[in-house]
Amino acid sequence: MMGAPQAKTDDRLTGLAVTATGWAAAPRGDALSRLQSMGLPQRRDEYWKWTRPDTLISADVPPAEAFDAQETPIFGGVDRLKIVFVDGVFSAEESDDLALEGVMIERLAEANSDIHWAQGLYGVLEERGQTPVKRPLAALNTAMATDGLLIHVTGKTGKPISLIYRHVSDTSDAILHHVVKLDEGAELTLLENGPAAARFNKVLEVEVADKASFHHVRAQGRDHARRAATHIFARLGSESAFKSFTLTVNGVLTRNEAVIELTGDDSIAHIAGAAMGDGANGAFHHDDTVFVTHDAERCESRQVYKKVLRNGAEGIFQGKILVKEGAQKTDGYQISQSLLLDEDNQFLAKPELEIYADDVVCSHGSTTGAIDETALYYLRSRGVPKKEATDLLVLSFMAEAVDEIEDDVLREDIVSRLTGWLDRR
Amino acid sequence: MLEIKNLHVELEEEGKKILKGVDLTVEDGKVHAIMGPNGSGKSTLSYVLSGRQGYEVTDGTAELDGADLLDMDPEERAAAGLFLAFQYPVEIPGVGNMTFLRTAVNAQRKARGEEEISAADFLKLVREKAKNLKIDADMLKRPVNVGFSGGEKKRNEILQMAMLEPKMCILDETDSGLDVDAMRLVADGVNALRDAGRGFLVITHYQRLLDHIKPDVVHIMADGRIIKTGGPELALEVEKNGYADILEGA
Ligand SMILES: Nc1ncnc2c1ncn2[C@@H]1O[C@H](COP(=O)(O)OP(=O)(O)O)[C@@H](O)[C@H]1O
Ligand SMILES: [Mg+2]
């Protein structure tokens, strides 16, 4: 439900104005009105009870140092088209030419014509995603994004598009908005990695036409003090596929929302997340808020979320499967689990099913627990040292989420990041 | 050589006394069997020797080739050459059986200052040993013990034993829940490992396993103590008359 304007907390909104020209001016203006009428997120909002929004919306950005990574950069062994943003600013020198077979790529900041294919999508999926749960930070993003990419996939791309978000300045505040449109039968793998900024607000809108397939693997940066609020809005046509995996290692505050609508029959949507955090490095608060809507027949959706927490880390999962009337033969699955490596962590989960069709199979589960002592003893009794045995059990806990990544090389890269975290602690 | 002297063990939480002075020596190259009623402390003995948590040793010693087992972490005991085939093998979802085996083999090699086994050599070795135990490729790929039948779990224990080549093997009711064919496979697996440098402690309820794995010495355990020790004929006596006579005589 849209709330009434919240005069006091939303002083910040009155100062905002859309500056874009051309086709984007209208959707940005609309988004700003939307935002002004719903107001910024507040603790009393149903889906903000467990995550404090204040530092995500404050005028000043709490500073965050860039993480000094000694490891080789992720996805380094993948042949890909690299597009680099530094503190949210496109870097032409570090990026490849924005040219790739089967796809047209443009920068949002440079797409100023009066008519554009992205017109029917930019802010449109975001707006659809505002009902029934409001997502003010996404509307803020649509209105104020400084840049982003407009990616139109017309065929099978030869290689993945890889977005690299470097973070340099301790107080950078980045807002990026990407739109991806896959035509019928088109295929794209999109990679994202890096912290992007001290504070990062990102929206990714993905339109997947009939028979198209979209694969997405992202590794959010490891900077301890960084903050991020990200949204994925996806709409799927018939016989299409959407697969998205996110790795989050470190980060004082991360809120990842995903809103996925299955609108064509026989499509599949898998969304997975693996998060590892250590509260001793300042703090770790990670929130996955997911909303999957089945509005067609015989579709399959999976939500697989795993969190490994230690030293006072906090993990949140709010996930919903909504099966609309007529969405028969829906196969919906949702699992959220946390592994607590010591005692004072917090995992809060709100799994929801809302079903208006009678011939469906939907299941959800949520668990939280410590390392299985019996399994640990069993491994040690075979000669595996405690640390190695523990790590093996942590990786096995993560496996169901990580295994959602189909590509072996990408999956190995993600696993190496998990191992890196385990080795650093 | 495994040397257990006057071993007293309590449950850490409840303080309940389980082992009340166990004396037992298993020489290299010998097979000792322990029989005894349910609840007499046989599994407890095997857990305490392998280093499971939750037990407190209040008195006595246990040494493997002169090294104090009770002072070691479970992984150190394994590296020293101790192996326990579990009565209830543990399921580990998410860890592939193959990964588990390779990790274990390499961990023990590392602990002994040896080089890691190459992937190719490891594969060859596993395939060969698995074949003897009729463990198929699928069982090797699946997560450790997950979805295995009772018999498959026990064979998987013997596979681990064969891969790790321990000095001292403890088998806790490895025969229970096995049909005749599976028991023969397990027994063959054990017999293949018998040699002059390796000792076995076989815990069982039934004579039938001992038909296949011929013991040198048979012990009867009751209420936390070894109450009688003899040759293979003692197992036959138990088979015929049960434990009642022995318990009364003790
Ligand atoms: N962890 C435990 N908690 C409670 N009781 C236990 C535990 N382990 C063993 N016991 C008790 O100790 C006794 C010996 O058990 P166990 O060693 O399993 O015997 P056995 O293997 O000879 O059947 C039994 O009375 C059993 O109930
Ligand atoms: Mg027992």
Side-chain angles (χ1 to χ4, degrees):
Chain A
M1 301 303 112
M2 303 279 175
Q6 299 153 347
K8 241 192 280 167
T9 52
D10 296 353
D11 282 350
R12 203 184 149 218
L13 297 184
T14 50
L16 296 180
V18 166
T19 55
T21 57
W23 66 273
R28 284 172 177 274
D30 291 350
L32 188 56
S33 317
R34 211 159 39 241
L35 172 65
Q36 281 163 342
S37 81
M38 72 179 104
L40 288 166
Q42 303 203 30
R43 286 307 285 280
R44 65 163 180 262
D45 296 342
E46 189 184 352
Y47 290 91
W48 283 95
K49 276 204 288 278
W50 294 331
T51 295
R52 297 174 64 91
D54 44 341
T55 56
L56 294 171
I57 55 183
S58 58
D60 295 322
V61 181
E65 248 179 70
F67 182 80
D68 183 18
Q70 305 295 327
E71 300 154 34
T72 47
I74 199 162
F75 308 139
V78 180
D79 182 25
R80 59 200 164 132
L81 182 93
K82 281 187 272 189
I83 303 175
V84 180
F85 292 87
V86 180
D87 291 316
V89 179
F90 175 75
S91 167
E93 308 87 82
E94 294 175 67
S95 300
D96 295 334
D97 287 343
L98 304 188
L100 185 64
E101 205 189 309
V103 59
M104 285 169 305
I105 308 167
E106 264 174 283
R107 284 179 52 204
L108 173 64
E110 289 182 341
N112 297 318
S113 54
D114 287 332
I115 299 176
H116 198 276
W117 63 263
Q119 219 162 339
L121 286 176
Y122 187 90
V124 171
L125 297 185
E126 173 259 297
E127 184 181 8
R128 289 176 69 92
Q130 298 289 352
T131 320
V133 179
K134 61 179 183 168
R135 306 173 196 279
L137 296 177
L140 172 73
N141 180 299
T142 300
M144 307 308 297
T146 51
D147 208 346
L149 297 168
L150 307 174
I151 301 174
H152 185 179
V153 190
T154 54
K156 296 187 184 359
T157 48
K159 52 184 172 184
I161 295 176
S162 175
L163 311 186
I164 298 161
Y165 304 121
R166 288 182 45 214
H167 169 207
V168 176
S169 155
D170 283 2
T171 54
S172 51
D173 191 14
I175 307 182
L176 295 179
H177 191 121
H178 308 305
V179 175
V180 177
K181 176 177 161 63
L182 292 110
D183 288 350
E184 185 166 338
E187 287 174 17
L188 174 71
T189 297
L190 181 70
L191 309 176
E192 295 183 281
N193 73 281
R199 184 169 71 185
F200 189 32
N201 179 330
K202 191 198 66 181
V203 165
L204 171 64
E205 291 176 294
V206 188
E207 170 92 337
V208 189
D210 297 351
K211 297 186 167 68
S213 86
F214 176 74
H215 289 242
H216 176 225
V217 178
R218 106 176 121 160
Q220 293 182 302
R222 291 163 293 177
D223 303 21
H224 291 298
R226 63 153 185 84
R227 282 155 216 277
T230 79
H231 291 80
I232 297 172
F233 296 95
R235 183 167 60 184
L236 279 72
S238 60
E239 294 175 55
S240 66
F242 171 95
K243 295 197 175 176
S244 174
F245 171 90
T246 298
L247 171 72
T248 310
V249 171
N250 303 339
V252 70
L253 177 57
T254 307
R255 162 91 162 196
N256 290 335
E257 297 193 35
V259 183
I260 299 164
E261 250 188 301
L262 297 130
T263 61
D265 297 338
D266 303 294
S267 55
I268 63 170
H270 291 193
I271 181 144
M276 318 179 94
D278 189 329
N281 300 305
F284 178 84
H285 181 99
H286 181 89
D287 173 336
D288 288 300
T289 296
V290 183
F291 201 112
V292 174
T293 304
H294 283 261
D295 197 8
E297 294 190 22
R298 296 178 303 277
C299 293
E300 173 198 305
S301 72
R302 284 171 67 82
Q303 301 172 32
V304 183
Y305 284 88
K306 303 274 184 157
K307 294 176 173 62
V308 174
L309 307 173
R310 72 190 306 256
N311 283 322
E314 295 163 3
I316 309 295
F317 174 79
Q318 310 182 101
K320 183 158 185 164
I321 306 174
L322 169 64
V323 181
K324 288 198 170 173
E325 207 178 314
Q328 301 297 6
K329 308 277 183 204
T330 285
D331 179 357
Y333 173 76
Q334 179 197 90
I335 183 93
S336 64
Q337 297 181 302
S338 73
L339 178 63
L340 312 180
L341 296 183
D342 47 37
E343 318 236 299
D344 45 33
N345 304 286
Q346 199 175 30
F347 176 63
L348 298 168
K350 178 176 168 139
E352 296 177 280
L353 289 180
E354 196 176 324
I355 301 175
Y356 298 102
D358 48 21
D359 186 14
V360 303
V361 180
C362 281
S363 64
H364 64 118
S366 182
T367 65
T368 183
I371 287 275
D372 179 347
E373 285 297 331
T374 310
L376 187 63
Y377 158 61
Y378 189 62
L379 286 165
R380 294 177 73 190
S381 81
R382 297 313 184 231
V384 183
K386 187 175 181 187
K387 160 90 170 77
E388 210 180 318
T390 307
D391 291 358
L392 199 58
L393 293 175
V394 170
L395 293 177
S396 76
F397 168 79
M398 288 296 203
E400 187 185 2
V402 174
D403 286 348
E404 287 290 332
I405 305 170
E406 285 176 12
D407 184 274
D408 292 341
V409 176
L410 297 178
R411 192 176 53 250
E412 283 307 311
D413 260 9
I414 293 295
V415 169
S416 74
R417 280 301 164 95
L418 299 178
T419 316
W421 185 83
L422 290 166
D423 288 344
R424 280 195 299 276
R425 67 181 176 84
Chain B
M1 186 166 74
L2 176 68
E3 251 187 311
I4 302 166
K5 285 187 189 148
N6 191 33
L7 192 64
H8 285 72
V9 171
E10 293 179 359
L11 290 179
E12 221 166 50
E13 300 221 326
E14 308 154 38
K16 183 180 164 192
K17 293 183 170 52
I18 311 284
L19 299 184
K20 303 168 182 174
V22 173
D23 288 285
L24 181 68
T25 299
V26 182
E27 307 83 4
D28 292 348
K30 300 288 186 211
V31 175
H32 286 228
I34 298 187
M35 304 180 82
N38 274 331
S40 54
K42 305 182 298 294
S43 290
T44 301
L45 176 64
S46 66
Y47 287 146
V48 169
L49 291 174
S50 73
R52 187 174 195 151
Q53 284 180 0
Y55 303 97
E56 195 187 340
V57 176
T58 52
D59 202 1
T61 57
E63 294 180 349
L64 183 63
D65 298 331
D68 180 6
L69 280 177
L70 303 179
D71 196 34
M72 299 181 197
D73 285 332
E75 56 268 36
E76 293 171 334
R77 301 180 197 209
L82 188 81
F83 181 91
L84 167 63
F86 283 59
Q87 180 172 2
Y88 303 109
V90 179
E91 298 185 5
I92 313 184
V95 178
N97 210 10
M98 207 69 142
T99 308
F100 167 63
L101 281 168
R102 201 179 51 233
T103 307
V105 167
N106 281 331
Q108 294 208 12
R109 284 183 170 234
K110 197 171 157 195
R112 297 194 200 108
E114 297 164 13
E115 257 182 56
E116 289 200 353
I117 186 167
S118 78
D121 288 350
F122 172 78
L123 212 59
K124 211 174 128 209
L125 200 64
V126 169
R127 289 213 175 113
E128 179 197 314
K129 309 238 183 223
K131 197 172 151 216
N132 295 337
L133 288 158
K134 295 212 163 57
I135 290 175
D136 60 21
D138 184 51
M139 265 176 72
L140 289 174
K141 257 189 263 157
R142 268 150 51 190
V144 180
N145 293 325
V146 178
F148 287 27
S149 70
E152 286 173 336
K153 284 182 181 169
K154 297 299 177 77
R155 278 186 277 144
N156 202 34
E157 294 291 288
I158 303 302
L159 174 64
Q160 293 164 41
M161 191 168 91
M163 291 298 296
L164 294 170
E165 300 185 325
K167 274 220 63 196
M168 179 67 220
C169 307
I170 305 172
L171 283 75
D172 190 1
E173 290 201 29
T174 301
D175 54 335
S176 57
L178 296 187
D179 60 31
V180 181
D181 292 336
M183 195 176 64
R184 186 161 298 131
L185 279 176
V186 163
D188 289 349
V190 171
N191 288 328
L193 282 167
R194 287 183 74 160
D195 77 36
R198 182 172 290 133
F200 288 86
L201 187 58
V202 180
I203 298 170
T204 181
H205 274 297
Y206 305 106
Q207 162 63 26
R208 59 174 198 167
L209 179 69
L210 303 180
D211 285 340
H212 297 283
I213 306 171
K214 296 261 184 305
D216 299 293
V217 183
V218 175
H219 308 274
I220 308 297
M221 188 161 182
D223 193 23
R225 285 188 198 91
I226 305 283
I227 57 162
K228 189 159 185 182
T229 295
E233 73 286 349
L234 189 53
L236 292 167
E237 193 187 322
V238 167
E239 180 80 355
K240 225 165 93 196
N241 306 327
Y243 294 110
D245 293 353
I246 299 169
L247 292 180
E248 268 169 37

